[in-house]
Amino acid sequence: MDSILLVSHVDPDGALPRAALEALAAARTLGAPVTAALFGHSVGKAAAALAGTGVAKVLVVEDPALEAARYSTDAAAAAALAKASGASLVLAPATSRMTRVMAGVAQRLGGRIDTHVTQLVDEGGPTAVRWYYRQRIEAKLRRKERPWVLLVDPGATEALKPAGGAAPPVEKVALALPAPRTQVTGVRSPSSGEQTIRPDAKVLFVAGAGWTKKQQDGKPHPEEAEALILAFLRGSGASLGSSKSLVDQAGEGQKVFEFMTHLNQVGQTGSTPRHAKGLATCCHGEEPHVVGWRFIRERRAVNLDASCGWARGKADVLYVADAFAVMTKVNALLAAKK
Amino acid sequence: MSFHIVVLGSIVPDPLQTLEPVSTPQGPGLKNEQMLPAVLDPWAGHALYEAANLAAKTPGSKVTLVSLGPKAKLQQVMMAVAQKVPFELVALDGPAGGFTDAHEVAARLAAAVKALPGLDRTKLLLFGGWESASRGAGVTLQLVGELLEIPDQFQGVDQISARPDGSFEVLERVEGGRHQVSTCQGAPAVLGWATGNLPEPKNNPQIGMANMRLVMPALQKAAPAPVGTGGVEFASVQVPKVMRETRIVKDASPDEIARELVEWISKD
Amino acid sequence: MERQSMAVDIACVGFGPAMAGFLTTLSRRLAAAEKPPLESAASPGLPLQVVCYERADDPGFGVSGVVTRARGLREAFPDLEAAQIPMAAKVRQEKVLYLLDPVGASRRSAALRAADAAIRAARFALKYEEQAVELPYVPAYLHKLDGFVFSMGQLMQWMSGQVLSTGTVQIWPGTPVASALVEGQAVKGVRLVDQGVDRHGNPEGAFLPGMDVTAALTVVGDGPVGAVGRQLDRELGLPQGSHGRRDWAVGMKFVVDLPEGTPLEPGTVLHTLGFPEPEIFGFLYVHPDRVASVGIFVPSWFESPVRTTYRYLQHYVQHPYLWRFLRDAKLRSWGAKSILESGRRGEPVLAGDGFARIGEGSGSTNVLTSSGVDEAFTTGVQLAEGVIELLEAGKPLTRENLDAAYVARRRASFVEAEGRVAEKARDGFQRGVVTGLLGMALAGATGGRISLGEEPAHPAEKVSSLEQFYAGRIPAGDIAAIRRDCEAKGVPLHDALMDRAGWPAVPLDGKLLVTQQDALLVGGKVQAPPGYADHVTFLRPELCRSCGRKVCFEICSAEAIRPGEGGVPTFDREKCVHCGACLWSCTQRLDGTDEVNLAFRAGTGGLHSAEN
């Protein structure tokens, strides 16, 4: 029987990341006892938040140097915790911080790693479900090697709801961290601010290259398109995604929206965000683009082309209409509601 | 201060191809894998172009692309890539499919990097994609970094700014569409690139001619590098059939559509 | 920004079968350790510098349904086995079929209608099944029984791999050649296309003017619609009395996965005629592993101004004889390509100071045997042999020397002998299908001594008006109404007219019967990189406005050319597959010359399928 460790950093405010509770829920499906491990500047708050989650104990490494997300110190801490636990399965939430280090940790443990796990099941042993080839092929796999490190994708599992009660016992793991050669100096938001893909938004708005193309009067209207998109984002609180062809235009020096960067791109080399709802407008393309919204639960599209590959068979509803006209009306309704 | 930038990157199917898994004696593979046109992995491509850009800005630097893939396919892809930016190639002849084990691939790549003639660790920046369009695990580069005992790693990198003293600032993607800013004392370091900010370089025949004088011999002496699926047992590999019943709304006025959309957006 | 230049010894334009023949032969000589090295004059001290520029994004993105006797190929690759090349199979069975029209919508002459009635009446005495009758024998000149079925894409990929692995020559895909550098009657190299420009060619973003690549020899193998070949015809003139390229067809094909349990064996080859229109010939070739290529040819002598290849192909695959094999087939790939059917008669000046022409654009295709790949490959081999001979002898690559070393080889070969037989074989089609078939049979039987019909006129002259074409089938008033309706909607006329003429709606099934855009995306994987100019433009808008036929957007294989505002068509570079059908279908000749109002230049992008 495998022994399971869930290892996570704590958030900058000391809280337990939500993604850790999701990974814990995935770990619990395997039925084996779960030990937790936390590292950070101060982990007490996060350890207490594990009360009533069924974890047997919490191993911790605390050090001021662990306040910053940095490979050398994080990898040392996570590896020490995993070694101390002796676990054969090491699970971690795929936050940017854990993703940066866990492959290195697996190597230090002499183990193996698999990432982007969307589901764990017990089918003749621990079995992971993950995607290959840009979310186009899904595989279920088991591994012979141990320790086996698994990174669980955020948003793929419902987070475990702690029942409260007594906090699990905490055990400190002593560790001398290496002297860092890297200093984390801060976090920078792109100038676009509100217009990036935010996982917490309910709606993802996907803008396609059609917004910059010629409209019915034979001319492109990028300024109007920009105003409509921004007004919608502000009115709805939606996150902004974009097709590759639209962000590529920026790289080619064409007139394109000021706020659009590669950070907005979904599908292909862009992200595969998870939102409850997605609204695609003026998009055109096929499978590799569409993978960008594989994990959007409810999907609608506005497009002039009834046979659009973005929509047919991929969206729940396709409105065959001029997005400029529709979004003008949508924005008016959203403004009136406020 | 100059760098020796080693870019790890392999080939993936051209993005518009239809992919279908099949099982082979070596484990899962793609239907017609040999026939599918290939391109340089897009993230590795970004890393390569960023490497060339950095090398151009730091005189004395050079770029080496280390690539593990089937020799014939590598040869074909290099004809498209070698026109873009100057680099030297080290080719390893082995499978480039997504179902091979990242640890086995990393071991091959690490050995190839260690064997680079005259490699100076104090100048080594190991570049690659933070993802790939094949395995898509985002771990190979990290594993190679560990195998080479490189203490500093960055993932989801969109920008590097080198300073005259050899230190550099890195922007890494973190949650919420933001960048974490770090300063590293200098090489050696691992940088896994997101997309960066550079457009794809133009095809330059002169760069192509110069590259090929080294690329072709490198391909000809590509050493066999078999890699397998490690201890992974694939229980199932499939293309998910998720076709939705799309309701197509034609001939509705913008007002009607807008009302329906706002109602839908507002629902919890 | 300054235009850069670079010197090489041999610059090659276009990597098709002809260039594969040239580079295979040349690279073997360059790699031959036992022979004295051929040194570069452009870069003294280095071996001969040979570069080939191909406009498509990969050497394997060419298109052709290929069944070939592979005589030249096997000479170059004596150990050639089908198993070496994906999708290759030995030809095992060959049939010619006359397809009756089960729909009743095709335009058939009285003679043909009588023949159809006779076939139906005598069907029990004929090899008749599923609305098709098998011709009792395949004429000797047509048969390919000792040959291969290939995927052109896979064949080219394999041959480019062979060539590159020698390390002696370079093939650069994704790099179109804009023009040859012509000085007087000599060619001094090539100019590549500009990069970092908007669709009109104006610099924007990272502008990089197309580089000049100078070379002692420019080898032109850019195919029937290649920009460089046509430029040389224009600037250097054609052989005396020649009208050049006047007889054309566009071939369009699906590559399909056949259903499990298909009775079709690999190496099966079907040639068809009679349906969907008598003028449209078709084919089905079976590759290994339950894969088949199926397609049609729409010729320039088909008078219809609404000759939509795609819609016709959809009806073709549904013919009962084929549909029983294809009903559950699934689309894998799709593509289209123009075929120069002028053959030997369209031959340009084959060699001059600093240049030589090979392949289909040099008139090598045999229009009687319907064979082009093997002939093209052979001309490439012949040129390489000639060039090696000249280089070894230290002779300059002048017109005189190339005539002696290359053209003479070609004249003495089967390409020339059989091309001469075929020269007038298809002239009968200028008068109709029945005359055309009789003419082919006569030419085939008499070694080309007897033929029917006359040399084709300019293709623009073959296109009739809609009213003429649909006379007796659609009243002129209905045509006018359809024209008004389609113009208002901004769509081509062909679907509405074919519907009206009795063609049934195509029951899209998402497998083989898909929309044209899905064929582009799912089958052809068509794409184009940004930063290049439109390669299709309309020179004089007033000529488009006054054009009553607008065949350009009716025949466009990819719906890249569409009706535009004010009567001037629009062009969407991202959809174009570079088939070139628009070029020979434009009916607006400029000032009585063979040039037309539609300009077709070298461009990037197109198909991204390597299975065609």
Side-chain angles (χ1 to χ4, degrees), chain A residues 137-320:
Chain A
I137 295 176
E138 192 182 40
K140 237 183 210 185
L141 55 96
R142 292 181 281 269
R143 255 196 197 274
K144 292 196 188 83
E145 299 99 338
R146 296 288 185 274
W148 186 13
V149 179
L150 292 147
L151 277 171
V152 180
D153 264 1
T157 322
E158 283 286 314
L160 192 77
K161 290 199 174 62
V170 170
E171 219 174 86
K172 288 205 174 197
V173 174
L175 171 68
L177 289 169
R181 300 171 70 246
T182 290
Q183 298 306 322
V184 176
T185 56
V187 168
R188 202 176 291 170
S189 293
S191 52
S192 53
E194 63 194 316
Q195 285 84 32
T196 52
I197 296 175
R198 287 174 290 109
D200 53 314
K202 279 204 192 76
V203 181
L204 175 73
F205 180 82
V206 184
W211 281 104
T212 60
K213 299 247 158 95
K214 277 188 197 164
Q215 299 305 313
Q216 280 169 348
D217 61 356
K219 297 187 190 97
H221 294 281
E223 290 83 8
E224 195 188 327
E226 187 168 321
L228 280 173
I229 294 170
L230 284 177
F232 177 74
L233 295 175
R234 285 174 191 147
S236 65
S239 232
L240 174 64
S242 148
S243 69
K244 182 172 188 301
S245 52
L246 186 55
V247 289
D248 276 357
Q249 288 176 17
E252 287 299 321
Q254 288 182 27
K255 173 69 191 167
V256 75
F257 310 133
E258 301 290 340
F259 49 82
M260 209 65 108
T261 72
H262 274 103
L263 286 172
N264 295 102
Q265 188 196 323
V266 298
Q268 293 213 41
T269 46
S271 58
T272 311
R274 291 164 200 277
H275 294 269
K277 293 170 189 171
L279 177 61
T281 51
C282 301
C283 292
H284 173 73
E286 247 302 311
E287 183 67 5
H289 312 283
V290 177
V291 295
W293 66 344
R294 176 148 278 162
F295 300 116
I296 306 294
R297 278 201 288 280
E298 293 177 35
R299 311 167 188 165
R300 298 193 179 197
V302 182
N303 201 310
L304 279 171
D305 178 7
S307 61
C308 167
W310 258 87
R312 231 179 13 176
K314 316 281 191 322
D316 305 307
V317 186
L318 166 64
Y319 301 98
V320 181

Side-chain angles (χ1 to χ4, degrees), chain B residues 14 17 32 76 79 203 216, chain C residues 58 164 171-172 195 608:
Chain B
D14 175 274
Q17 306 302 314
N32 305 315
Q76 207 177 321
M79 297 313 293
N203 288 345
M216 283 320 297
Chain C
D58 187 282
L164 286 173
I171 302 168
W172 297 108
Q195 301 176 73
H608 268 229

Side-chain angles (χ1 to χ4, degrees), chain C residues 358-444:
Chain C
I358 55 175
E360 188 177 1
S362 76
S364 61
T365 300
N366 190 305
V367 296
L368 177 62
T369 62
S370 297
S371 178
V373 171
D374 201 28
E375 284 76 5
F377 182 87
T378 303
T379 62
V381 172
Q382 290 162 347
L383 176 63
E385 288 168 352
V387 167
I388 291 166
E389 183 183 299
L390 294 176
L391 292 173
E392 284 177 342
K395 290 186 183 168
L397 300 161
T398 59
R399 173 171 201 145
E400 218 172 24
N401 288 339
L402 287 165
D403 271 345
Y406 161 51
V407 181
R409 268 189 170 78
R410 184 161 161 173
R411 295 278 177 253
S413 73
F414 80 92
V415 177
E416 173 78 6
E418 295 178 10
R420 283 288 185 194
V421 170
E423 198 162 36
K424 295 175 182 169
R426 296 172 65 101
D427 287 357
F429 287 115
Q430 301 302 315
R431 296 193 189 164
V433 181
V434 177
T435 318
L437 293 170
L438 278 174
M440 275 182 80
L442 274 174

Side-chain angles (χ1 to χ4, degrees), chain A residues 112 130 136 143 277 313, chain B residues 17 101 135 152 244 267:
Chain A
R112 299 278 168 122
R130 61 153 304 205
R136 292 167 74 185
R143 255 196 197 274
K277 293 170 189 171
Chain B
Q17 306 302 314
D101 189 35
R135 188 180 309 108
D152 289 278
R244 297 193 176 201
K267 251 191 328 203

